[in-house]
């Protein structure tokens, strides 16, 4: 019997139910409940199977979305998991944390009038279900090449590179300074978006494939880069971006002012009971908190503050809501959890008390002026509108800059004017740097971006490395 292509008219889009709001405000666990098997199959069946699927093009790793949706309607979960993994090394993570409203789902033909197919949640359903039923990648056809590659950084880019190399018979040894794999998946993204046992499951799968992790190893400190470069056939650099952007405020160094990433990492390490080399744990219980910034990191900070028991949490952003860089889904989640949003406020300085401790933020109100090259309207201060908003603690979430270590520069790896490693996808050997045996990818090449774009770069770099080591 042929498929009913008008299914989407009768079956409405559903999003997975969220946990009760009072629970969400105290819990550091994922807020979305899983879709059931019937719900997933019903939602997957809404797909029109467009001849030229825009969702697939908008997905940075070009997942075979209509094909795995069809496998879900047929209940073929292992086949769907195999297909998911043929384009994406971390589908269970991307299903959870991709901003689908800007990527695959925004391009779904049904999006405007009927509600996009719930692609991200079905990707999560496929992988979670397959893992629970014992799915493992089939590497029985892999022929060993005898080549070995060192991957520095166990974030999404490094993991994706190691995955593809292993599937092509190259031994991948992944070094990371942290005690757990995942990079920002583990330590940056809070567990109410991505629970940490999801990463542990992935680690077991990768270790089962033969990927070796050498953790608690800070390259440049515990082992020299030259040693790695000499020992392996090639090296993949995937160190991420870790320099906080500052506001340039006179009192930015005052007690009670925190940078976003240290705050989030310290909180996660505390929850994971990691004490060795841990960031200080800061707890905002009973405090009035202002978070400066309007991106996803700011949303993670406000929502973490709520869960710690802050009495009042405000997100202050210099443009209006429509011009916020953060995902609308995460802004909505923050609002539901009681975060107070103040738009059109430009911070001028941290206000300090007589002991030099932060006691608020001095703002000027703004109005939006002309659009910049990216189409975003720039905030213009309104003269005479300065005021101080009181707070016990201030978190600065203005984004991150590249942080290339000295050993990388000493090795002759060229950087662009913003400190990003120069490595081009469309070159003889994809994502090769200025040194022939060194490749790079993820945030340290793109600048701070997304999990899925880091995965994409890791996979492409692996193909470049294969071409290089086997040439
Ligand atoms: P990273 O994930 O940063 O991994 C780099 C790894 O290199 C780290 O594990 C680090 O320990 C290791 N390393 C660095 N130097 C050394 C060294 N010398 N020796 C050994 N190891 C080293 N993206 C999304 O798609 N969705 C989200 O919801 C989202 N939320 C985010 C929330 C926050 C707070 C932040 C900061 C980012 C978020 N992102 C999100 C962005 C996303 O996490 C990153 O784009 C992605 O993790 C980049 O991957 P990467 O592998 O390039 O680097
Ligand atoms: Fe959508 Fe991200 Fe999955 Fe691609 S990887 S289909 S963009 S959720």
């Amino acid at each position: 019997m042929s498929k009913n292509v008008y299914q989407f008219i009768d079956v409405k889009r559903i999003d997975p139910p969220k946990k009760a709001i009072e629970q969400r405000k105290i819990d550091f666990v994922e807020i979305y409940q899983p879709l059931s098997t019937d719900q997933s199959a019903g939602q997957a069946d809404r797909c029109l199977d467009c001849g030229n699927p825009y969702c697939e093009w908008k997905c940075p790793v070009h997942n075979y979305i209509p094909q795995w949706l069809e496998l879900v309607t047929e209940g073929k979960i292992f086949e769907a998991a195999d297909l998911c993994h043929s384009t994406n090394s971390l589908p269970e993570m991307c299903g959870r944390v991709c901003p689908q409203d800007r990527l695959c789902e925004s391009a779904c033909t049904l999006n405007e009038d009927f509600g996009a197919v719930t692609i991200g949640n079905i990707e999560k359903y496929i992988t979670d279900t397959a893992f629970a039923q014992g799915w493992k990648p089939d590497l029985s056809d892999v022929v060993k090449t005898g080549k070995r590659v060192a991957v520095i950084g166990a974030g999404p880019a490094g993991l994706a590179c190691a995955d593809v190399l292993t599937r092509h018979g190259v031994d991948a040894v992944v070094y990371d300074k942290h005690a757990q794999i995942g990079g920002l998946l583990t330590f940056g993204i809070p567990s109410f978006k991505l629970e940490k046992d999801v990463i542990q499951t992935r680690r077991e799968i990768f270790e089962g494939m033969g990927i070796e992790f050498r953790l608690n190893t800070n390259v440049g400190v515990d082992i020299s880069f030259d040693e790695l470069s000499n020992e392996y056939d090639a090296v993949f650099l995937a160190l991420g971006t870790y320099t906080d952007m500052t506001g340039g405020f006179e009192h930015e160094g005052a007690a009670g002012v925190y940078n976003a990433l240290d705050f989030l990492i310290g909180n996660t390490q505390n929850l994971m009971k990691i004490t060795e080399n841990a960031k200080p744990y800061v707890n905002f219980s009973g405090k009035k908190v202002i978070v400066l910034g309007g991106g996803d990191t700011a949303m993670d900070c406000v929502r973490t503050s709520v869960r710690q028991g802050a009495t009042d949490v405000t997100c202050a952003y210099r443009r209006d809501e429509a011009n916020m860089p953060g995902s609308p889904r995460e802004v909505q989640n923050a609002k539901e959890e009681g975060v107070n949003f103040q738009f059109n406020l430009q911070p001028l300085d941290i206000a300090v008390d007589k002991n030099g401790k932060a006691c608020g933020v001095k703002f000027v109100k703004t109005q939006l002026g002309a659009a910049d090259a990216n189409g975003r309207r720039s905030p213009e201060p309104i003269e005479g509108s300065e005021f101080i908003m009181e707070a016990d603690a201030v978190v600065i979430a203005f984004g991150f800059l590249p942080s290339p270590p000295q050993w990388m520069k000493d090795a002759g790896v060229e950087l662009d004017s913003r400190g990003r490693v120069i490595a081009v996808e469309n070159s003889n050997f994809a994502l090769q740097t200025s040194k022939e045996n060194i490749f790079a990818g993820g945030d340290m090449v793109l600048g701070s971006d997304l999990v899925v774009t880091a995965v994409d770069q890791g996979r492409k770099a692996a193909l470049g490395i294969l071409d290089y080591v086997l040439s």
Side-chain angles (χ1 to χ4, degrees):
M1 205 173 69
S2 63
K3 177 180 160 78
N4 171 14
V5 291
Y6 299 109
Q7 187 76 359
F8 65 88
I9 296 175
D10 299 327
V11 181
K12 305 288 175 225
R13 172 190 166 101
I14 54 167
D15 287 302
K18 297 180 197 178
K19 293 188 177 143
I21 198 74
E22 288 316 314
Q23 199 58 38
R24 275 166 57 187
K25 284 180 171 183
I26 53 173
D27 257 358
F28 278 97
V29 293
E30 287 178 18
I31 68 166
Y32 293 102
Q33 323 244 26
L35 288 177
S36 69
T37 298
D38 284 349
Q39 284 172 326
S40 300
Q43 291 294 300
D45 204 24
R46 294 181 71 242
C47 175
L48 293 178
D49 195 12
C50 311
N52 187 352
Y54 299 123
C55 56
E56 198 172 304
W57 287 107
K58 200 72 190 281
C59 165
V61 290
H62 305 307
N63 274 336
Y64 299 123
I65 299 166
Q67 288 90 332
W68 44 247
L69 290 174
E70 192 173 350
L71 289 168
V72 171
T73 66
E74 294 166 357
K76 295 179 178 165
I77 299 304
F78 277 24
E79 288 90 334
D82 285 335
L83 196 57
C84 283
H85 283 85
S86 68
T87 51
N88 189 350
S89 302
L90 304 171
E92 76 285 22
M93 320 273 181
C94 291
R96 285 172 165 83
V97 303
C98 270
Q100 288 100 10
D101 44 9
R102 285 198 273 133
L103 299 175
C104 53
E105 293 180 13
S106 74
C108 173
T109 309
L110 293 178
N111 188 33
E112 287 286 304
D113 299 318
F114 298 94
V117 174
T118 170
I119 298 168
N121 277 295
I122 294 178
E123 192 174 20
K124 172 184 159 199
Y125 164 80
I126 292 168
T127 30
D128 286 359
T129 311
F131 292 166
Q133 293 177 2
W135 174 91
K136 294 212 167 30
D138 178 8
L139 270 61
S140 55
D141 287 343
V142 173
V143 180
K144 286 278 192 186
T145 61
K147 302 293 180 187
R148 298 176 72 236
V149 171
V151 173
I152 309 179
L159 294 176
C161 182
D163 175 40
V164 173
L165 289 172
T166 307
R167 288 170 186 266
H168 286 83
V170 172
D171 288 338
V173 181
V174 184
Y175 293 81
D176 201 290
K177 61 183 173 190
H178 284 305
Q180 174 59 301
I181 71 163
L184 289 174
L185 289 167
T186 300
F187 295 106
I189 299 178
S191 45
F192 48 83
K193 278 162 66 181
L194 174 62
E195 281 172 27
K196 304 310 165 192
D197 59 358
V198 177
I199 297 156
Q200 180 57 28
T201 303
R202 175 53 68 181
R203 178 173 171 179
E204 286 158 20
I205 288 187
F206 279 156
E207 285 177 334
M209 289 168 62
I211 297 175
E212 184 184 337
F213 293 109
R214 298 201 186 158
L215 303 177
N216 289 314
T217 309
N218 190 346
V219 174
V221 176
D222 302 314
I223 184 168
S224 79
F225 178 71
D226 284 350
E227 207 175 315
L228 293 185
S229 184
N230 292 332
E231 183 186 338
Y232 292 90
D233 296 292
V235 181
F236 179 57
L237 304 173
L239 282 74
T241 50
Y242 285 89
T243 305
D244 291 282
M245 281 171 78
T246 59
F249 309 129
E250 184 185 347
H251 295 101
E252 202 152 343
V257 181
Y258 303 92
N259 74 52
L261 200 49
D262 283 353
F263 167 60
L264 292 172
I265 294 176
N267 188 67
T268 299
Q269 287 175 328
N270 180 61
L271 289 168
M272 292 174 79
K273 301 193 184 343
I274 293 174
T275 50
E276 204 178 331
N277 295 323
K279 298 277 182 198
Y281 170 55
V282 178
N283 190 329
F284 290 149
S285 174
K287 297 226 159 48
K288 185 174 160 70
V289 180
I290 299 177
V291 176
L292 302 177
D296 285 338
T297 302
M299 294 313 111
D300 291 343
C301 291
V302 289
R303 298 177 67 200
T304 297
S305 306
V306 167
R307 283 161 175 78
Q308 288 185 340
T311 48
D312 186 290
V313 182
T314 298
C315 173
Y317 179 56
R318 61 196 177 131
R319 295 185 175 88
D320 62 3
E321 183 165 3
N323 283 281
M324 276 180 103
S327 155
R329 180 182 65 186
E330 298 308 319
V331 174
Q332 180 57 29
N333 284 334
K335 283 184 181 172
E336 289 167 6
E337 289 164 13
V339 174
N340 172 18
F341 281 83
Q342 295 286 334
F343 296 106
N344 299 106
L345 293 184
Q346 171 98 44
L348 297 175
D349 198 3
I350 307 296
V352 291
D353 63 17
K354 60 181 182 336
N355 299 316
K357 185 185 173 305
C359 62
V361 178
K362 182 176 181 190
F363 289 107
V364 62
K365 294 184 183 169
T366 62
Q367 58 195 9
L368 291 183
D372 63 16
N374 299 321
R376 285 173 75 209
R377 295 174 64 193
S378 51
E380 293 171 352
I382 302 173
E383 214 180 303
S385 65
E386 294 83 357
F387 73 103
I388 289 175
M389 189 187 293
E390 289 179 5
D392 304 310
V394 180
V395 180
I396 299 193
F398 290 156
F400 310 99
L401 296 167
S403 44
Q406 188 57 43
W407 54 254
M408 194 182 289
K409 298 173 197 163
D410 294 343
V413 173
E414 276 178 25
L415 309 174
D416 70 11
S417 57
R418 291 162 63 186
R420 296 174 300 189
V421 174
I422 299 174
V424 185
E425 283 180 14
N426 295 322
S427 60
N428 263 357
F429 300 119
L431 290 162
Q432 188 179 42
T433 68
S434 50
K435 300 295 288 182
E436 65 166 6
N437 65 330
I438 305 177
F439 292 70
D443 278 2
M444 71 179 322
V445 169
L446 298 168
S448 298
D449 203 29
L450 292 173
V451 170
V452 66
T453 50
V455 167
D456 180 46
Q457 287 232 308
R459 295 178 65 87
K460 285 182 175 145
L463 298 180
I465 293 170
L466 281 163
D467 288 342
Y468 170 73
V469 296
L470 299 177
S471 61

